[in-house]
Coordinates of all heavy atoms in Angstrom, one line a residue:
E31 N 25.0 21.8 -0.2 CA 25.9 20.9 0.4 C 27.1 21.5 0.9 O 27.7 21.1 1.9 CB 26.3 19.8 -0.6 CG 25.1 18.9 -0.9 CD 25.5 17.8 -1.9 OE1 26.6 18.0 -2.6 OE2 24.8 16.9 -2.1
E32 N 27.6 22.6 0.3 CA 28.8 23.2 0.7 C 28.8 24.7 0.5 O 29.4 25.2 -0.5 CB 30.0 22.6 0.0 CG 29.8 22.4 -1.5 CD 31.0 21.9 -2.2 OE1 32.1 22.3 -1.9 OE2 30.9 21.0 -3.0
G75 N 34.7 6.6 -15.0 CA 33.8 7.2 -16.0 C 32.4 7.2 -15.7 O 31.5 7.3 -16.6
L76 N 32.0 7.2 -14.4 CA 30.6 7.2 -14.0 C 30.1 8.6 -13.9 O 30.8 9.6 -13.6 CB 30.4 6.6 -12.6 CG 30.9 5.1 -12.5 CD1 30.8 4.6 -11.1 CD2 30.1 4.2 -13.4
D77 N 28.8 8.8 -14.3 CA 28.2 10.1 -14.3 C 27.3 10.3 -13.1 O 26.4 9.6 -12.8 CB 27.3 10.3 -15.6 CG 26.8 11.7 -15.7 OD1 27.1 12.6 -14.9 OD2 26.0 11.9 -16.7
S78 N 27.7 11.3 -12.2 CA 27.0 11.7 -11.0 C 26.5 10.5 -10.2 O 25.3 10.4 -9.8 CB 25.8 12.6 -11.4 OG 24.8 11.9 -12.2
P79 N 27.4 9.6 -9.8 CA 27.0 8.4 -9.0 C 26.6 8.9 -7.6 O 27.1 9.8 -7.1 CB 28.2 7.6 -9.0 CG 29.4 8.5 -9.2 CD 28.9 9.6 -10.1
W80 N 25.6 8.2 -7.1 CA 25.1 8.6 -5.7 C 25.0 7.4 -4.8 O 25.6 7.3 -3.8 CB 23.7 9.3 -5.9 CG 23.5 10.4 -4.8 CD1 23.6 11.7 -4.9 CD2 23.0 10.1 -3.5 NE1 23.3 12.3 -3.8 CE2 22.9 11.4 -2.9 CE3 22.7 9.0 -2.7 CZ2 22.4 11.6 -1.5 CZ3 22.2 9.2 -1.4 CH2 22.1 10.4 -0.8
R95 N 22.5 10.1 -10.2 CA 21.6 11.2 -9.7 C 21.0 11.9 -10.9 O 19.8 12.1 -11.0 CB 22.3 12.2 -8.8 CG 21.4 13.2 -8.2 CD 22.1 14.3 -7.5 NE 22.8 15.2 -8.5 CZ 23.5 16.2 -8.2 NH1 23.8 16.5 -6.9 NH2 24.1 17.0 -9.2
D96 N 21.8 12.4 -11.8 CA 21.4 13.3 -12.9 C 20.8 12.5 -14.1 O 19.9 13.0 -14.7 CB 22.5 14.2 -13.3 CG 23.0 15.1 -12.2 OD1 22.2 15.3 -11.2 OD2 24.1 15.7 -12.3
G325 N 33.4 12.5 3.0 CA 33.3 13.9 3.0 C 33.3 14.5 1.6 O 34.1 14.2 0.8
L326 N 32.3 15.4 1.4 CA 32.2 16.0 0.1 C 33.1 17.2 0.0 O 34.1 17.2 -0.6 CB 30.7 16.4 -0.2 CG 29.8 15.2 -0.5 CD1 28.3 15.6 -0.3 CD2 30.1 14.7 -1.9
R327 N 32.7 18.3 0.7 CA 33.6 19.5 0.7 C 34.9 19.2 1.3 O 36.0 19.7 0.9 CB 32.9 20.6 1.4 CG 33.7 21.9 1.3 CD 33.0 23.0 2.1 NE 33.8 24.2 2.1 CZ 33.6 25.2 2.9 NH1 32.6 25.2 3.8 NH2 34.3 26.3 2.9
G328 N 34.9 18.3 2.3 CA 36.2 18.0 3.0 C 37.1 17.1 2.2 O 38.3 17.0 2.5
E329 N 36.6 16.4 1.1 CA 37.4 15.6 0.2 C 38.3 14.6 1.0 O 39.5 14.5 0.7 CB 38.2 16.5 -0.7 CG 37.4 17.3 -1.6 CD 38.2 18.0 -2.7 OE1 39.4 18.0 -2.7 OE2 37.6 18.7 -3.6
R330 N 37.7 14.0 2.0 CA 38.5 13.0 2.8 C 37.5 11.9 3.4 O 36.3 12.1 3.4 CB 39.3 13.7 3.8 CG 38.4 14.4 4.9 CD 39.2 15.4 5.7 NE 39.3 16.7 4.9 CZ 39.8 17.8 5.4 NH1 40.4 17.8 6.6 NH2 39.8 18.9 4.7
G351 N 42.1 15.0 -0.2 CA 42.3 15.7 -1.5 C 42.8 14.8 -2.6 O 43.1 15.2 -3.7
E352 N 42.9 13.5 -2.4 CA 43.5 12.6 -3.4 C 42.5 12.2 -4.5 O 42.9 11.9 -5.6 CB 44.0 11.3 -2.7 CG 45.2 11.5 -1.8 CD 45.7 10.2 -1.2 OE1 45.7 9.2 -1.9 OE2 46.3 10.2 -0.1
Y353 N 41.2 12.1 -4.1 CA 40.2 11.7 -5.1 C 39.0 12.6 -5.2 O 38.0 12.3 -5.8 CB 39.7 10.3 -4.7 CG 40.7 9.2 -4.8 CD1 41.5 8.8 -3.7 CD2 41.0 8.6 -6.0 CE1 42.4 7.8 -3.8 CE2 42.0 7.6 -6.1 CZ 42.7 7.2 -5.0 OH 43.7 6.3 -5.1
G354 N 39.2 13.8 -4.6 CA 38.1 14.8 -4.7 C 37.0 14.5 -3.7 O 37.2 13.9 -2.6
R355 N 35.8 15.0 -4.1 CA 34.6 14.8 -3.3 C 34.2 13.3 -3.2 O 34.3 12.6 -4.1 CB 33.5 15.6 -3.9 CG 33.7 17.1 -3.9 CD 32.8 17.8 -5.0 NE 31.4 17.5 -4.8 CZ 30.6 18.1 -3.9 NH1 31.1 19.0 -3.1 NH2 29.3 17.8 -3.8
L356 N 33.9 12.9 -2.0 CA 33.5 11.6 -1.7 C 32.1 11.5 -1.3 O 31.6 12.1 -0.3 CB 34.4 11.0 -0.6 CG 36.0 11.1 -0.8 CD1 36.7 10.5 0.3 CD2 36.4 10.4 -2.1
R357 N 31.3 10.7 -2.0 CA 29.9 10.6 -1.8 C 29.3 9.5 -1.0 O 28.5 9.7 -0.1 CB 29.2 10.5 -3.2 CG 27.7 10.3 -3.2 CD 26.9 11.5 -2.7 NE 27.0 12.6 -3.5 CZ 26.4 13.8 -3.2 NH1 25.7 13.9 -2.1 NH2 26.5 14.8 -4.1
T358 N 29.8 8.3 -1.3 CA 29.2 7.1 -0.6 C 30.2 6.1 -0.2 O 31.2 5.9 -1.0 CB 28.2 6.4 -1.6 OG1 27.1 7.3 -1.9 CG2 27.6 5.1 -1.0
V370 N 32.7 5.7 -3.3 CA 32.2 6.3 -4.5 C 32.6 7.8 -4.5 O 32.3 8.5 -3.6 CB 30.7 6.2 -4.7 CG1 30.2 6.9 -6.0 CG2 30.3 4.8 -4.6
T371 N 33.3 8.3 -5.5 CA 33.6 9.7 -5.6 C 32.5 10.5 -6.2 O 31.5 9.9 -6.8 CB 34.9 9.9 -6.5 OG1 34.6 9.6 -7.9 CG2 36.1 9.0 -6.0
S372 N 32.6 11.8 -6.1 CA 31.5 12.7 -6.6 C 32.0 14.0 -7.2 O 31.7 15.1 -6.7 CB 30.5 13.0 -5.4 OG 29.3 13.6 -5.8
E373 N 32.8 13.8 -8.2 CA 33.3 15.0 -8.9 C 32.5 15.5 -10.1 O 32.7 16.6 -10.5 CB 34.7 14.7 -9.4 CG 35.8 14.6 -8.3 CD 36.1 16.0 -7.7 OE1 36.7 16.8 -8.4 OE2 35.6 16.3 -6.6
T374 N 31.6 14.7 -10.6 CA 30.8 15.0 -11.7 C 29.4 15.5 -11.3 O 28.4 15.5 -12.2 CB 30.6 13.8 -12.7 OG1 30.0 12.7 -12.0 CG2 32.0 13.4 -13.2
D375 N 29.2 15.9 -10.1 CA 27.9 16.4 -9.6 C 27.7 17.9 -9.8 O 26.7 18.4 -9.2 CB 27.7 16.0 -8.2 CG 28.6 16.7 -7.2 OD1 29.5 17.4 -7.7 OD2 28.3 16.7 -6.0
S376 N 28.5 18.5 -10.6 CA 28.4 20.0 -10.9 C 29.2 20.8 -9.8 O 29.4 22.0 -10.0 CB 27.0 20.5 -11.0 OG 26.4 20.8 -9.8
R377 N 29.7 20.2 -8.7 CA 30.4 21.0 -7.7 C 31.8 20.5 -7.6 O 32.6 21.1 -6.8 CB 29.7 20.8 -6.4 CG 28.3 21.4 -6.3 CD 27.6 21.3 -5.0 NE 26.4 22.0 -5.0 CZ 25.5 22.0 -4.0 NH1 25.8 21.3 -2.9 NH2 24.4 22.7 -4.1
G378 N 32.2 19.6 -8.4 CA 33.6 19.1 -8.3 C 34.4 19.6 -9.5 O 34.0 20.4 -10.4
T379 N 35.6 19.1 -9.6 CA 36.5 19.3 -10.8 C 36.9 18.0 -11.4 O 38.0 17.5 -11.0 CB 37.7 20.2 -10.3 OG1 37.3 21.3 -9.6 CG2 38.6 20.6 -11.6
P380 N 36.1 17.4 -12.2 CA 36.4 16.0 -12.6 C 37.6 15.9 -13.5 O 37.9 16.7 -14.3 CB 35.1 15.7 -13.4 CG 34.5 17.0 -13.8 CD 34.8 17.9 -12.7
G381 N 38.3 14.8 -13.3 CA 39.4 14.4 -14.1 C 39.0 13.4 -15.1 O 37.8 13.0 -15.2
K382 N 39.9 12.8 -15.9 CA 39.5 12.0 -17.0 C 38.9 10.6 -16.5 O 38.2 10.0 -17.3 CB 40.7 11.7 -17.9 CG 41.9 10.9 -17.2 CD 43.0 10.8 -18.2 CE 44.2 10.0 -17.6 NZ 43.8 8.6 -17.3
D383 N 39.2 10.2 -15.3 CA 38.7 8.9 -14.8 C 37.5 9.1 -13.9 O 36.9 8.1 -13.5 CB 39.8 8.2 -14.0 CG 40.9 7.7 -14.9 OD1 40.6 7.4 -16.1 OD2 42.0 7.6 -14.4
D384 N 37.0 10.3 -13.6 CA 35.9 10.5 -12.7 C 34.6 10.3 -13.5 O 34.5 10.5 -14.7 CB 36.0 11.9 -12.1 CG 37.1 12.1 -11.2 OD1 37.3 11.1 -10.4 OD2 37.8 13.1 -11.2
D385 N 33.6 9.9 -12.7 CA 33.7 9.5 -11.3 C 34.0 8.0 -11.2 O 33.9 7.3 -12.1 CB 32.4 9.8 -10.5 CG 32.4 11.1 -9.9 OD1 33.4 11.4 -9.2 OD2 31.5 11.9 -10.1
R386 N 34.5 7.6 -10.0 CA 35.0 6.2 -9.9 C 34.5 5.5 -8.6 O 34.0 6.2 -7.7 CB 36.5 6.2 -9.9 CG 37.2 7.4 -9.4 CD 38.7 7.4 -9.7 NE 39.2 8.8 -9.7 CZ 40.4 9.1 -10.0 NH1 41.3 8.1 -10.2 NH2 40.8 10.4 -10.0
I387 N 34.6 4.2 -8.6 CA 34.4 3.4 -7.4 C 35.7 2.8 -7.0 O 36.4 2.1 -7.9 CB 33.3 2.3 -7.7 CG1 32.0 3.0 -8.0 CG2 33.2 1.4 -6.4 CD1 30.9 2.0 -8.4

Side-chain angles (χ1 to χ4, degrees):
E31 289 178 345
E32 48 176 314
L76 301 176
D77 185 3
S78 61
W80 211 101
R95 185 193 71 180
D96 297 342
L326 288 164
R327 186 181 175 197
E329 296 188 354
R330 66 199 80 176
E352 293 185 32
Y353 294 96
R355 294 160 55 81
L356 305 179
R357 171 68 66 181
T358 295
V370 181
T371 68
S372 191
E373 286 290 287
T374 59
D375 68 345
S376 79
R377 293 180 176 178
T379 307
K382 65 182 182 64
D383 291 331
D384 289 320
D385 268 311
R386 31 191 154 178
I387 299 174

